[in-house]
Amino acid sequence: MAEKDSEIQMSSIGNNVLQEKRLSRVSYDGAMKATLSSEHATDGNVQCHRLELWRFLVRPSVCEFFLTSLFVGASAMGGVVLGDIVQVAFLNSFTIYSLIMIGLDISGAQMNPAVSVGIFLSGAQALDLTICYIFAQLVGATTGAAIARALVSSNSTSFPDTFALVLPTSENQSYVQSMFTEAFLAFILVLLILVAIVEKDAKCMFGPLVVGCWVGTAILAGGKLSAGSMNPARAFGAALAFNAGWREVWIYVGGGLLGATLASGAYRFFFAKGAVRRPFLTVLQPRRESTI
């Protein structure tokens, strides 16, 4: 009887040891699978972050560079060939309309630091994307002006009259008056873009055409006073490409940013309907939306 109990006890101990080994093996396999799945998840997160970075930051910024360079280049060359302010106004109007149609779904086709700042202040664009846009626009404007200067004949590259980029003020117009003229024209431009293109609930299918028409109208209205530029990048790029005209650049930077700031405030307080505040950062912060 004692021997039988001893055998049962030994058998029980053996079974317990085997069971512990099996459990240990299962735990080890589970830990390995968890580790591998964690590594795969980390790789997947990195790939998603890179894809997100390309989609929401790099790709739109590259688009802004090309669109701005095309706009400034075409505007500069048109100023050389045409010269007449009415013809220049029509050229800029149709150029803006065409480029907005090309890049609207990629970057918004802003092509203007004043527009980018206005959209950011309205709550519809993140800070990091706005900074990338402005940098791309400044480089693009410089590239476009430099290409235009290289393509036209050497005797037609006087700055700034021929290129119609930064026109000198009229004899009876002070620099301060020109700056406020730019602010007024930029105010209408940015407000029009916010209401007709950015606003989700009131998006107009003819928004790009309306914006293009206003650009032409602004050149006709303000061409003799401030050139109707409404675009700090346009002035900066021309001045840098020609290394001239720096004395007038502040007119377009100050006027454009002032008009954009006032337009974003007017939009948020009087015109915004279904606008949504975007996150402060595009990629570096999770996407959360809340009403303005």
Side-chain angles (χ1 to χ4, degrees), residues 1-9:
M1 205 55 190
E3 291 179 0
K4 200 174 208 181
D5 290 341
S6 177
E7 288 178 2
I8 293 173
Q9 189 175 4

Side-chain angles (χ1 to χ4, degrees), residues 4 10 21 46 86 91 93 102 105 116 147 206-207 214 223 245 247 257:
K4 200 174 208 181
M10 291 295 292
K21 287 183 177 180
V46 171
V86 177
L91 169 70
S93 180
I102 292 173
D105 292 333
S116 298
I147 291 174
F206 298 108
W214 170 247
R247 189 176 62 177
L257 295 181

